[in-house]
């Protein structure tokens, strides 16, 4: 059964729970439905919404984290995205930015293109991250565990990965409305 | 021949303060100098380096990405669907392998088409020479500031001192 048997939580529910715990931290959100959903749940100038360049979310966030060592930088990523840019797990693991929290919403499918299966049902991405050198990694399913572990990671030195198993449900959210250059400008100003 | 430390200092003088990339032999001297100055963040793929540079730019840095021209192919989608459309500039320091048809087989096709390839990608580019180096760097800085897109400075063999002179 896909996704992991018994997964009740949707990505939007998980994302909303995390966004409630965040204030002005930079958040880089991967392309596809995750960016659209984040924009709908809580549109903040500290959000960088990706609309293309799949696989690059963690690398963009790493560039921010290395340049702003005093800000905690969050990535909202997906399993398909992590698999595509898997080398970046190694770069993060090697450089060990303390201010880097990598959240992976793992629904085991390429949701934006019609739920074609990824391979994250057999490749545990948090274990790859751990082997690559992430300091803290957790895999969660329930909302309470998600909130508990995320709060804990906000207090700890990273890099950290929080993988949350979610179902394939997609929030009814439109395309990202801002023009890409405006997203850049707004984000730059907000994280100065 | 331009000394590596002079070239790196010139980049720092125009404001570059974030360096990442993937090595090439032509760039060996530059990367060694950057590492000595503790300025270099190694990437595992060129598209990753380009995305890191985009993040660094948004966090207030002036980024440069070093790569072999084969890496232009690897980073094509990131350059156009991230940097170009979001107006996130970076300085691409690209070694021109295969120029003039004298190189290993894997470099010959890219070596031949590289200028047209950069034109097609809408990336402004120039090839560094010792004589015009000052102007070349000024042009890079101006294009970066004015256009807010990736700009390429191509480096041919023997123009900047490598590791093995």
């Amino acid at each position: 059964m896909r996704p992991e048997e018994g997964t009740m939580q949707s990505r939007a529910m998980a994302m909303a729970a995390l966004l409630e715990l965040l204030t002005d931290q930079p958040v880089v959100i991967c392309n596809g439905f995750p960016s659209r959903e984040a924009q709908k749940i809580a549109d903040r100038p500290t959000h960088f919404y990706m609309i293309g360049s799949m696989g690059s979310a963690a690398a963009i966030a790493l560039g921010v984290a290395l340049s702003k060592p005093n800000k905690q930088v969050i990535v909202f990523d997906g399993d398909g995205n992590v698999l595509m840019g898997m080398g970046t797990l190694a770069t993060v693991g090697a450089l060990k930015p303390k201010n880097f929290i990598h959240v992976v919403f793992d629904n085991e499918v390429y949701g934006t293109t019609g739920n074609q299966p990824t391979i994250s049902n057999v490749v545990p991405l948090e274990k790859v991250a751990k082997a690559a050198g992430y300091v803290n990694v957790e895999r969660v399913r329930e909302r309470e565990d998600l909130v508990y572990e995320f709060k804990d990671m906000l207090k700890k030195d990273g890099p950290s990965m929080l993988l949350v198993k979610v179902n394939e449900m997609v929030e009814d959210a439109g395309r990202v409305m801002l023009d890409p250059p405006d997203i850049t400008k707004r984000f730059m100003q907000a994280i100065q | 021949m331009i000394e590596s430390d002079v070239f790196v200092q010139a980049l720092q003088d125009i404001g570059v303060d974030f360096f990442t990339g993937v090595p090439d032999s032509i760039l060996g001297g530059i990367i060694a100098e950057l590492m000595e100055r503790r300025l270099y963040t190694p990437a595992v793929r060129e598209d990753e380096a380009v995305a890191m540079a985009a993040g660094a730019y948004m966090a207030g840095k002036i980024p440069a990405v070093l790569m072999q021209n084969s890496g232009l192919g690897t980073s094509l989608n990131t350059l156009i669907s991230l940097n170009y459309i979001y107006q996130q500039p970076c300085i691409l320091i690209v070694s021109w392998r295969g120029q003039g048809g004298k190189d290993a087989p894997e470099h010959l096709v890219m070596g031949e088409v590289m200028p047209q390839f950069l034109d097609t990608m809408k990336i402004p580019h120039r090839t560094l020479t010792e004589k015009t180096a000052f102007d070349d760097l000024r042009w890079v800085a101006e294009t970066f500031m004015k256009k807010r897109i990736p700009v390429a400075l191509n480096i041919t063999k023997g123009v900047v001192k490598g590791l093995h002179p």
Side-chain angles (χ1 to χ4, degrees), chain A residues 81-153:
Chain A
N81 257 282
V82 171
L83 287 162
M84 194 178 274
M86 210 153 178
T88 300
L89 297 185
T91 305
V92 170
L95 295 173
K96 291 205 170 25
K98 289 179 178 168
N99 55 333
F100 188 90
I101 302 180
H102 198 164
V103 178
V104 182
F105 301 101
D106 181 3
N107 62 0
E108 303 180 4
V109 293
Y110 296 99
T112 310
T113 54
N115 287 353
Q116 299 85 354
T118 68
I119 50 173
S120 67
N121 60 327
V122 289
V123 180
L125 298 173
E126 82 286 1
K127 287 188 183 164
V128 181
K130 182 76 185 173
Y134 278 58
V135 175
N136 319 296
V137 303
E138 294 294 338
R139 179 191 185 96
V140 297
R141 212 170 62 180
E142 307 302 331
R143 184 192 165 97
E144 303 82 75
D145 298 333
L146 173 70
V147 168
Y148 177 86
E149 296 296 349
F150 191 63
K151 276 184 179 167
D152 195 43
M153 283 179 183

Side-chain angles (χ1 to χ4, degrees), chain B residues 86-144:
Chain B
Y86 279 90
Q87 291 179 3
Q88 297 171 348
C90 63
I91 297 168
L92 303 171
I93 297 173
V94 183
S95 62
W96 193 343
R97 300 297 302 268
Q99 193 208 22
K102 281 183 227 133
D103 208 327
E106 69 272 25
H107 297 302
L108 297 182
V109 176
M110 182 52 101
E112 188 188 338
V113 304
M114 190 173 96
Q116 300 94 296
F117 185 73
L118 286 166
D119 288 340
T120 305
M121 288 162 74
K122 302 185 184 185
I123 293 177
H125 57 98
R126 231 186 221 212
T127 302
L128 180 75
T129 70
E130 189 172 1
K131 235 186 209 167
T132 59
F134 184 76
D135 265 356
D136 294 335
L137 283 170
R138 196 174 57 188
W139 173 85
V140 164
E142 279 172 9
T143 310
F144 179 104

